[in-house]
Every structure is written in C-alpha cells, then in structure tokens.
C-alpha cells in the first residue's frame, strides 16, 4: 500500500477482511440443544452469526475467527469449540 | 500603502487580506490585540469568515483542524502557555498535512509567570512539523503571512506554518508598515483549493492510524516535505519580491557580512538592534557582521554554512534555551558548521523581556573575540 | 535619531501619547516608532513609553536610556523615579506641574513646566493631561507639527472628544510657544 499524504484513507468495509482464516477452534452449533435465545448473535465480536428462517443461529465461517465467546456465553451449552482440521 | 500602526493591527490587517474563511483563537497577552481586531472585522463584515469562539487554545487549533480538513483557509494566533496547550494539536495538524497558518506573538514560558518576550514558546515546538518564520520588524511580520499561506498550501508542501514576531517588542510597537491592497494580495495568494477535503458525499478520514510497518514511513515523508519546502519558500519569497519589491527569497540574510571577522547570528527583532550596533562598530573599524535567520524550520543548514564560511568566529544569540544543553539556534549553527574550524560561541539573552541593548551586543562581540562562549548575557550576578 | 521618554502613571495615557506623537511625526514625513515599557499596567503605577524619530527606517528595539526629550506627566513621579536619567545635553524636559520646581534638571538641559492638569480640567473637564502635553511637546521640540497632532487626535477619538483634546493641546502649545518665544 502506498502512503497517502497526511495518512488519509477512504472508508473501507469490514467485509474485505476475511477473519475466518484466523480460526484455530471452530464453533459447532447443535440445533437440538439450542433454545433460540440469540445470545450468541449479540455477543459475537465479528457480528457473523445470523438467524435462519426457523429461528436457529449459525456463524458465517468466512468471518468467524474462532474466539469462542459464543460458546462461553451460550446458556444451553449448544456450541462446542472443536480443533480446526488443517 | 505606507501607514503607521501598531504591530498587532498590521498583522490582523494582513491576515484579513489573506482571506481566511475560519478564524479560531483564544485571547492571550501579548497576542490579544490581533484576535480582537479579527473578531471585530468578522462582526462588522470586513472579513467574510467564521470566527469560532472556544474555551481554550487546544480547542482553537482543533477547530482549525476541522475547518482546514473541510477545505477552508484557517487561521489562529497564540503565544506562550497558549501554544503549550496546543502541543498535541500542533503535531496532529502537521501529521494530517493541513496548511493552517498561526501567528505567534513570542513570549516566555512559565514558571515563573512572565508575559514578556523571548522565543522559548515557538522554539519548543520546533519538532512538531510546522514551518517557522521569524520577523525582524512589523513589515516583515505582515509580509510573511502571505508567504506562509502560499507555501503551506503548495501541493508539494501541505504543512502548517507559524509566523513568529516578538511579543510587545513588535506586537505593541507603532511603526510604519506598507500594506498590500486586497487586489495585490489576491493576485499573490489565490484561493485555497485542496485536492482532497472532508466531504460527506465522498468520505475520507484524515490522520488515520499507522502501525509500526507504516509510521516510520509517514514520519520520513513529513520530514521530506518540510525539507523540500525550502525551494518552495525561496520561490514564494522571490515572487513576493518581484510583485511588491520586498524580496524574501533568502531564508537567511547577511548584513555587513562580506569581510566580517565576527559574525553574529540572530533571529527576530533582535536583528535590528544588532544592525545598529554593527554600524557603530564598523565606524570604529571593527569588522562585525550579522547573519539573520528568517526561517528556522525547515532549517537552512546549507545556507548558514555557505554564509558563514568566511567568518573568523561566529557568535550565536538565542532568546531561548534548551535547558541542559544550549540555545536552539546555537545547536543548529554548530551542526551547520560541523567539520569546519570556525569556532561557534553561544549566548543566551533577552529572556522574559530583559531588554537587549547595543552594549549587550558589544559585550557578545568582545566575549567572542576572547573565545568565550556558553554565556548568559546581562546576568545580574548580585541577585544570584 | 532623536528619542523621547514619557514618564507617567497607569491610566494617564502615556502609551496613547507616545502612539499619537509617533503618528503625527510620521505624517510630517519622518520615520517614527512608539512603544510602551511593557509593564503590568495598573492604575497609578509608574509607567514609561518611548518614541523614536529618524529620517531613515528605525531598527533599534531597546528601550530609551539616553533621551533627547522627556515628558513627565505628573511631577509627583520625580520623587519616585529617576525621571531625568540619561537625558542628553541640550535635551528638553517637559514637566506637568503647577508649582515652581523644587528639583534640578541636569546641566545643559532645558526645563519647561506646564500646568497641563488645569488646562485639561478646564477644557476637557477631566484630568487627562496627555493631549496638553503633546501640544507642549510639539511647541517645545518642533518634532511634530500641530496640524499633524490635530489629525492624529481626530483619527483616534470621536469628533467631540477629539475637539476638546485638540483645544487642550492648542492651549498648551500656545503657552509653551509664548514662554519660549
Ligand atoms: S467463535 Fe467467536 S467469531 Fe466465531 S461465531 Fe463464535 S463468537 Fe463469533
Ligand atoms: S446462545 Fe446458544 S441457545 Fe442461544 S441462540 Fe445461540 S446457540 Fe442457541
């Protein structure tokens, strides 16, 4: 990247930055245990969890960085962090 | 037109002729007359600008950042503790490459509290990335404002500038000043037309965050822009000279330099008193000369070295001191003469409004002839 | 170069006097410079202001130590301050006083006394002595023309106030002219 005079920058999009590649542990969501409370969506720092038509929640693995906060906060223990297969 | 007026009024009038679109400043002695006059001009319609009143100098310069980034010509003025309160903002202005011009009515730094003149305030901000011009008289103080804007807004430079003139000694002195007409000022200084500015329709951020991979390069480029500004300053000074007859193309100016054995180096209003002393000493057969430094940042190292190469000895006067080291000009001159055998002697004087008289300049010359530098001139030993 | 030092007290208009004398001198075609001895200005405190006159550009920035002319705005200052310090031989000292002098000016220096306070009280209605002293200065030294002083006063003050001050200056001017004729 060439330097801009005065360290000036055009606004970028967070979506350009695919943080999914940072993941070491991957959250696996078990819809059988899920109560559809939505806590995981609120807590996810990447904002990558979306609700589907049935009201279940799932992450977008292109952006999920595997931080594990959703698993930590899920009241139903419906999310399990599994070692990423490399 | 040549008229007689107070230095502050002359500067305020020159600033008006530069057509700033936003003025934001906080009153502080001895700068107050300037911003009072500008506020009045805005209020009575003589200056088409927004005057933003603020609660501190920090906010004044911050308001100028917003104004300048949005594409307007912005102006502020301050001194001493007010400038110190702007410290952080000064670095931001330079880093964002905003061509703000600010007048400094030079004053000592507290404590102890002093409202009187020396140049410690602006000298202490020499590392902030601003250009610094120092005026010898009120004519120069006014002219340097047009030049400062012209250079600052040059696309190759895009850096802020301080126009420094000695508080009280110039700011409160009535003397003749030749003022440009608005037509001439407009011819010399066209409208500010930045290639990039804050615009909601086309968003851009200024002064973004730089990681260690980039910060060093940003500093390199800002330093390079400031050094490259030398040629722009010379050209802008020459153009001013061609248009109005007062040539400011030189960043340093010699007086009786050609055959001078002892060369005094000085900055600001001190130069006038030095010149009068030189005239007297020349009549007595003493070969004394002056090298006046008009631009302290970027420092004209090569020009200083070239101008001093014939000197037997150099005596540098500083109305400031980098405590624990020397006066700032002395350090620069020593750097410029590094490797030469010309001795450089340094003298601190005129701090906190101590009057500098011709006899003080004579004392400096005598001390330099004896090879004694590293001195405070006019110390009252009886109170130490 | 000729130099003037004005001694006054805060509130007596010494700085204004210096400025107006410089303006009037400039109108007369000389280079002039006026500046105060930048004190912390408090009413009643002794203050000084300076004017220089020359036929070329004035570069000197120090205060005035060896004046050609001295104006003492108030004779009570003579006890507090060495007002005659450094005055040149052949110099002129103008003192505002109603009494006969009980002090001595240095040898070879001309003393002019004028009761500027009475003139000011009579003409302006206020003890503003600086304009009368400017008139006395014009008459005693010839450094400024009375008409130039008049213009400077018109320029500085609203018309009515200017006219009163001009009348005070004129009376002092004529008094000194008469006394020295
Ligand atoms: S692991 Fe972290 S980033 Fe991935 S979905 Fe859970 S909270 Fe979001
Ligand atoms: S926090 Fe757990 S229970 Fe709640 S919606 Fe997410 S996965 Fe389901």
């Amino acid at each position: 990247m060439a330097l801009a005079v005065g360290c000036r920058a055009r606004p970028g999009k967070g979506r350009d930055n695919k943080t999914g590649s940072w993941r070491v542990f991957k959250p696996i969501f078990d819809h059988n245990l899920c109560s559809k409370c939505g806590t995981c969506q609120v807590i996810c720092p990447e904002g990558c969890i979306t609700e589907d038509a049935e009201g279940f929640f799932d992450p977008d693995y292109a952006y999920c960085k595997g931080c594990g906060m959703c698993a930590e906060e899920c009241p139903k223990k419906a999310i399990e962090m599994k070692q990423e297969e490399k | 037109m040549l008229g007689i007026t107070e230095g502050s009024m002359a500067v305020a009038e020159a600033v008006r002729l530069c057509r700033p679109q936003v003025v934001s400043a906080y009153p502080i002695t001895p700068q107050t007359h300037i911003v009072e006059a500008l506020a009045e001009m805005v209020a009575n319609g003589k200056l088409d600008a927004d005057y933003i009143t603020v609660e501190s100098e920090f906010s004044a310069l911050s308001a100028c950042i917003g104004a300048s980034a949005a594409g307007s010509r912005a102006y502020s003025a301050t001194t001493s503790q007010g400038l110190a309160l702007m410290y952080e903002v000064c670095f931001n202005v330079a880093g964002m490459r905003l061509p703000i011009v600010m007048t400094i009515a030079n004053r000592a730094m507290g404590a102890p509290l002093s409202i009187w003149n020396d140049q410690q305030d602006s000298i202490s901000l020499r590392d902030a990335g601003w250009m610094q011009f120092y005026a010898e008289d009120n004519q120069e103080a006014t002219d340097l404002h047009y030049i400062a804007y012209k250079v600052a807004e040059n696309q190759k430079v895009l850096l802020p500038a301080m126009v420094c003139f000695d508080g009280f000694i110039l700011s409160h002195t009535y003397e003749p000043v030749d003022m440009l007409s608005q037509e001439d000022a407009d011819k010399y200084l066209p409208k500010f037309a930045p290639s990039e500015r804050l615009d909601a329709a086309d968003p851009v951020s200024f002064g973004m965050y730089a990681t260690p991979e980039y910060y060093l390069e940003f500093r390199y480029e800002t330093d390079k822009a400031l050094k490259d500004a030398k040629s722009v300053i010379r050209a802008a000074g020459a153009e001013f000279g061609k248009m109005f007859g007062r040539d400011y193309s030189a960043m340093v100016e010699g007086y009786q330099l050609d055959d001078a054995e002892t060369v005094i180096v000085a900055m600001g209003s001190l130069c006038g008193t030095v010149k009068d002393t030189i005239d007297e000493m020349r009549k007595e057969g003493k070969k004394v000369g002056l090298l006046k430094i008009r631009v302290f940042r970027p420092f004209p190292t090569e020009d200083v070295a070239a101008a001093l190469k014939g000197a037997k000895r150099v005596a540098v006067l500083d109305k400031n001191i980098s405590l624990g080291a020397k006066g700032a000009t002395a350090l620069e001159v020593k750097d410029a003469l590094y490797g030469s055998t010309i001795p450089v002697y340094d003298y601190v004087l005129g701090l906190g409004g101590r009057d500098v008289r011709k006899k003080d300049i004579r004392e400096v010359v005598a001390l330099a002839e004896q090879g004694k530098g590293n001195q405070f001139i006019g110390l009252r030993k009886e109170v130490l | 170069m000729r130099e003037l030092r004005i001694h006054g007290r805060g509130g007596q208009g010494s700085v204004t006097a210096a400025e107006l004398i410089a303006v009037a001198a400039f109108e007369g075609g000389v280079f002039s410079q006026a500046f105060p001895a930048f004190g912390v200005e408090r009413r009643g405190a002794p203050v000084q202001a300076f004017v220089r006159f020359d036929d070329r550009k004035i570069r000197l920035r120090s205060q005035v130590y060896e004046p050609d002319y001295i104006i003492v705005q108030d004779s009570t200052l003579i006890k507090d301050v060495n007002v005659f310090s450094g005055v040149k031989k052949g110099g002129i000292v103008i003192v505002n006083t109603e009494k006969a002098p009980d002090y001595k000016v240095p040898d070879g220096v001309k003393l002019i006394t004028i009761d500027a306070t009475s003139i000011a009280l009579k003409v302006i209605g206020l003890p503003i002595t600086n304009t009368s002293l400017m008139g006395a200065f014009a008459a005693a030294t010839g450094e400024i023309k009375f008409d130039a002083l008049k213009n400077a006063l018109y320029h500085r003050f609203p018309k009515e106030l200017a006219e009163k001050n001009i009348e005070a200056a004129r009376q002092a001017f004529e008094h000194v002219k008469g006394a020295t004729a």
Side-chain angles (χ1 to χ4, degrees), chain B residues 187-242:
Chain B
K187 245 185 262 163
Y188 180 74
L189 184 64
K191 278 208 167 68
F192 177 39
S195 61
E196 196 166 45
R197 61 189 196 89
L198 288 185
D199 178 0
D202 178 22
V204 59
S205 304
F206 281 51
M208 294 292 290
Y209 146 106
T211 56
E213 289 90 344
Y214 291 104
Y215 186 84
L216 185 74
E217 285 73 16
F218 272 108
R219 295 296 277 176
Y220 167 83
E221 292 219 321
T222 310
D223 176 59
K224 187 171 179 312
L226 191 48
K227 283 175 180 149
D228 290 349
K230 289 181 194 178
S231 60
V232 182
I233 293 170
R234 290 188 188 105
E239 188 184 338
F240 193 92
K242 207 176 278 164

Side-chain angles (χ1 to χ4, degrees), chain B residues 116 137 174-175 279 355, chain C residues 34 38 57 59 61 63 65:
Chain B
W116 291 273
D137 52 31
Y174 267 64
E175 65 183 15
D279 285 359
D355 201 22
Chain C
F38 329 110
K57 185 176 164 166
R59 302 179 300 196
R61 298 288 169 191
Q63 297 182 7
Y65 297 91

Side-chain angles (χ1 to χ4, degrees), chain B residues 179-337:
Chain B
M179 198 57 71
L180 299 191
S181 67
Q182 185 67 70
E183 206 188 342
D184 281 346
D186 290 346
K187 245 185 262 163
Y188 180 74
L189 184 64
K191 278 208 167 68
F192 177 39
S195 61
E196 196 166 45
R197 61 189 196 89
L198 288 185
D199 178 0
D202 178 22
V204 59
S205 304
F206 281 51
M208 294 292 290
Y209 146 106
T211 56
E213 289 90 344
Y214 291 104
Y215 186 84
L216 185 74
E217 285 73 16
F218 272 108
R219 295 296 277 176
Y220 167 83
E221 292 219 321
T222 310
D223 176 59
K224 187 171 179 312
L226 191 48
K227 283 175 180 149
D228 290 349
K230 289 181 194 178
S231 60
V232 182
I233 293 170
R234 290 188 188 105
E239 188 184 338
F240 193 92
K242 207 176 278 164
M243 288 176 72
F244 311 118
R246 294 184 295 276
D247 190 322
Y248 294 98
S249 57
M251 296 171 73
V252 298
E253 229 171 59
Y255 183 76
Q256 298 284 11
L257 209 53
D258 290 346
D259 61 341
E261 291 172 358
T262 304
V263 178
I264 296 168
V265 179
M267 209 157 69
S269 66
L270 205 49
C271 294
T273 302
V274 173
K275 285 176 183 173
D276 271 18
T277 315
I278 288 173
D279 285 359
E280 282 182 13
M281 296 185 83
R282 284 267 168 183
K283 280 196 196 118
E284 297 156 17
K286 284 230 174 271
K287 290 187 172 164
V288 186
L290 166 73
L291 184 67
K292 158 176 149 182
I293 304 216
R294 183 185 292 126
V295 186
F296 191 77
R297 282 291 180 271
F299 194 79
T301 310
E302 330 69 45
D303 304 6
V304 169
L308 294 177
K309 67 174 190 295
K312 272 210 179 118
R313 63 191 74 82
V314 175
V316 188
L317 310 184
D318 269 295
K319 273 193 177 182
N320 71 81
I321 176 159
S322 178
L323 294 172
K326 290 183 182 305
T329 321
L331 293 169
E332 299 291 354
V333 171
K334 288 196 179 213
D335 177 51
L337 288 185

Side-chain angles (χ1 to χ4, degrees), chain B residues 107-118:
Chain B
R107 166 182 148 182
M109 292 298 304
L113 176 65
S114 165
I115 57 163
W116 291 273
N117 165 255
D118 65 34

